[in-house]
Amino acid sequence: MNDEIARQLREAAEAHRPDRARMLARVQRGMAGPAVRHRARPFARSGTRVALAGLAATGMLATGGLAVAAIVAHSSPPATVTAPATPSPTVSSPHPTSARPTPVAPAPATTPGSARPTPPATSPSPTAGESQNGPLWSAGSLDPGSTVYWTQSNLALKTTQPLTSLTIEIRIVQTGGVKITGTWQTLPSDDFTITTREADGMLVYRWVLKPGLTVPAASYEFAAQFNNGTGVRRASGDAYRVDAQGSGGSASVRGGFVPTR
């Protein structure tokens, strides 16, 4: 008898098609409101009917539970797991750094109309070795490289105009044993006729510009070299003279030689 009941229960469970919509509605009502107390069924007197009813109820509950679970699983949307968004690396632009301003010293305050006057350009005041005339300026000095045995007398000459004629003469006093050793100049030696001689107790050095040549406006230097001879020699009697001709006319300068030390 029990095998028969079990078979019928299995067949009933297999043939059972639960009303999913109705069961879902009941489940939703149960979840939304208070539980509804159902009226208890009258107690069945027959043991067989009670057993069959119990087995059937058990099968229905099992099947219904599976159905409800399936319905809930089917109707409920799947839980979505949102992964935390990986923040993309942010490239922050560096703040431009401005160069530190260089402190500027304030200009001295000036009163309008009281600009500092520019001192006028003046020629050096003549000394014992300097001279100025027209476009010519000259200065005579003893070269610092001179010794007690040898001397070089330097003549600095400046002209502010081109010269078409130029004659320079340096005279050195013969103090005993003085001898000519040479000449030197910043202009080309081929531009001049250069002569040296001894006459009337003097060593004479002479430069004469060759005809047709011109000396540009500039500064130049001429030098007379000689051995001092015996004893201590002084340049107090030595002298120079310059005669020139330019577009502005003739000019002459003369002077002596002063020690530079």
Side-chain angles (χ1 to χ4, degrees), residues 143-168:
D143 192 272
S146 301
T147 68
V148 295
Y149 307 104
W150 177 86
T151 299
Q152 175 173 301
S153 298
N154 297 328
L155 170 61
L157 178 65
K158 178 180 179 180
T159 176
T160 58
Q161 296 179 3
L163 303 177
T164 57
S165 173
L166 177 62
T167 300
I168 298 171

Side-chain angles (χ1 to χ4, degrees), residues 8-205:
Q8 293 179 3
L9 289 175
R10 285 196 302 272
E11 291 178 356
E14 293 174 357
H16 178 71
R17 295 294 183 266
D19 190 348
R20 295 182 178 179
R22 185 176 180 183
M23 294 178 69
L24 179 59
R26 291 183 64 185
V27 170
Q28 292 176 348
R29 285 197 303 273
M31 294 175 64
V36 180
R37 187 182 299 276
H38 297 281
R39 182 180 299 176
R41 294 181 180 179
F43 179 75
R45 295 181 179 179
S46 173
T48 303
R49 293 177 60 187
V50 171
L52 290 174
L55 292 174
T58 302
M60 290 178 64
L61 287 174
T63 306
L66 294 173
V68 170
I71 292 172
V72 173
H74 179 72
S75 60
S76 300
T80 303
V81 179
T82 304
T86 303
S88 58
T90 303
V91 179
S92 60
S93 300
H95 297 287
T97 57
S98 59
R100 180 178 299 175
T102 303
V104 179
T110 57
T111 304
S114 62
R116 181 179 299 176
T118 303
T122 58
S123 302
S125 58
T127 65
E130 296 182 4
S131 179
Q132 184 172 3
N133 178 243
L136 300 180
W137 175 89
S138 62
S141 63
L142 296 180
D143 192 272
S146 301
T147 68
V148 295
Y149 307 104
W150 177 86
T151 299
Q152 175 173 301
S153 298
N154 297 328
L155 170 61
L157 178 65
K158 178 180 179 180
T159 176
T160 58
Q161 296 179 3
L163 303 177
T164 57
S165 173
L166 177 62
T167 300
I168 298 171
E169 188 174 273
I170 295 178
R171 289 178 170 263
I172 304 298
V173 176
Q174 176 61 268
T175 56
V178 179
K179 296 182 179 179
I180 297 172
T181 59
T183 59
W184 179 84
Q185 66 281 323
T186 54
L187 284 167
S189 58
D190 291 341
D191 292 354
F192 293 87
T193 300
I194 303 173
T195 59
T196 58
R197 63 187 178 90
E198 185 174 351
D200 301 330
M202 304 287 290
L203 303 182
V204 182
Y205 301 78

